[in-house]
Amino acid sequence: MDLELSGKVAVVTGASRGIGLAVTRTLVAEGMHVAAGARTGSAELTGLARDHPDHVRPVLVDLTEPDGPARLVEEAVSAFGGLDVLVNNIGAVRPRLDGFLAVTDDDWAWSLGINFMPAVRAIRAALPHLLDRAPATIVTVASVNSFLPDPGVIDYSAAKAALANLCKSLSKEFGPRGVRINTVSPGPVETDLWLGEHGVAAAVAGSGDTDAAAVVKQQAAAAPTGRFTRPDEVADVVALLAGGRGGNIAGADVVIDGGLISTL
Ligand SMILES: NC(=O)c1ccc[n+]([C@@H]2O[C@H](COP(=O)([O-])OP(=O)(O)OC[C@H]3O[C@@H](n4cnc5c(N)ncnc54)[C@H](OP(=O)(O)O)[C@@H]3O)[C@@H](O)[C@H]2O)c1
């Protein structure tokens, strides 16, 4: 299937690892030019840029800084001459295992500062360019926690709910002007966020009488498919929403969770 992305330009935030790296790989395989934003980069992203020098531009920038997202967007426009697709992917979680009363203002500010504000700022910087090249698209990686509130990740859940709400509002304002805006909500995905040294599994295991592998096994078993989603599977959904073949999908939230969410 031709996703109608070839030759177009994308910005991907949080592109050095996990879902963002997979999205970058998939969009490049579809023939796109990608400005790939991350704070510290990775050998994988550097290798991708070396293999596809005309299609991948790593941009090392702290996207939690107020001017970070705009710098990434401007780098994409100056490198590739415009912008057709914005993928808001940056995000992070810190499990709150001591309950709501232990979550401080600084914790809330951190969570909103990494999960919500970078998307607000990236969208604000990108929209003038996307409107110039409409039809254009924005795809934002939310989470099942945006509608599956969880006290163990209470600030992350609230920040992701805000993100999904923001994108739905924006789909109404900018859809009529040719910018389709959608979200993707994954359940647990095989990335460092869950499986890394400081990931969710390790944190949950550290607070109880178990190990990270057992936490992962139990979480995987909660989904009818019995496993986590792979980053490339999320990337495929992002690519479908980003391209012309998804041309009448707007204001939607696409869940990819192996059936974890059990309600309609
Ligand atoms: N993994 C899951 O189970 C899961 C489930 C649902 C939703 N999600 C969402 O999916 C998105 C991606 O998650 P992931 O699992 O792929 O995470 P990940 O593996 O931890 O990767 C996070 C990416 O964000 C970048 N990043 C972090 N802080 C940054 C900063 N201040 N400035 C610039 N870049 C920064 C990292 O780059 P550096 O290392 O260079 O900083 C990295 O490329 C997040 O929004 C997350 O909430 C994940």
Side-chain angles (χ1 to χ4, degrees), residues 19-53:
I19 294 169
L21 178 65
V23 169
T24 302
R25 282 196 173 116
T26 298
L27 297 185
V28 169
E30 291 297 319
M32 292 194 81
H33 304 278
V34 181
R39 190 179 33 191
T40 50
S42 67
E44 290 85 352
L45 182 58
T46 303
L48 193 65
R50 193 181 47 235
D51 294 345
H52 303 275

Side-chain angles (χ1 to χ4, degrees), residues 167-168 171 181-184 241 249-254:
C167 292
K168 186 69 172 175
S171 74
I181 301 176
N182 295 289
T183 53
V184 177
L241 293 173
I249 307 176
D253 179 51
V254 180

Side-chain angles (χ1 to χ4, degrees), residues 6-247:
S6 186
K8 297 194 168 178
V9 179
V11 159
V12 178
T13 71
S16 62
R17 292 183 280 115
I19 294 169
L21 178 65
V23 169
T24 302
R25 282 196 173 116
T26 298
L27 297 185
V28 169
E30 291 297 319
M32 292 194 81
H33 304 278
V34 181
R39 190 179 33 191
T40 50
S42 67
E44 290 85 352
L45 182 58
T46 303
L48 193 65
R50 193 181 47 235
D51 294 345
H52 303 275
D54 298 334
H55 285 264
V56 182
R57 173 164 294 231
V59 181
L60 298 188
V61 56
D62 185 346
L63 293 166
T64 63
E65 290 291 322
D67 66 343
R71 282 170 48 204
L72 173 57
V73 167
E74 290 315 317
E75 183 89 17
V77 171
S78 72
F80 299 126
L83 186 63
D84 304 283
V85 173
L86 168 65
V87 180
N88 290 306
N89 167 74
I90 178 183
V93 61
R94 288 179 181 162
R96 307 300 183 188
L97 301 165
D98 298 321
F100 168 71
L101 294 177
V103 183
T104 65
D105 276 5
D106 283 350
D107 294 332
W108 281 99
W110 174 83
S111 203
L112 290 162
I114 196 157
N115 289 301
F116 183 64
M117 288 311 297
V120 172
R121 293 170 177 140
I123 292 169
R124 193 164 51 209
L127 266 168
H129 302 290
L130 296 172
L131 288 164
D132 267 358
R133 299 259 283 239
T137 55
I138 300 174
V139 184
T140 297
V141 182
S143 165
V144 292
N145 289 123
S146 67
F147 53 90
L148 180 68
D150 182 341
V153 287
I154 194 163
D155 47 324
Y156 177 78
S157 299
K160 289 292 189 180
L163 192 59
N165 190 292
L166 169 82
C167 292
K168 186 69 172 175
S169 284
L170 290 172
S171 74
K172 298 176 186 174
E173 182 175 349
F174 292 98
R177 297 166 66 186
V179 183
R180 287 187 301 106
I181 301 176
N182 295 289
T183 53
V184 177
S185 283
V189 182
E190 290 173 1
T191 71
D192 287 350
L193 181 146
W194 246 99
L195 307 177
E197 191 186 348
H198 303 292
V200 174
V204 171
S207 75
D209 190 18
T210 183
D211 61 28
V215 174
V216 171
K217 195 172 169 195
Q218 187 180 16
Q219 180 64 51
T225 59
R227 66 173 177 88
F228 281 32
T229 301
R230 297 191 314 270
D232 62 287
E233 294 175 313
V234 181
D236 286 348
V237 177
V238 171
L240 177 64
L241 293 173
R245 291 301 281 267

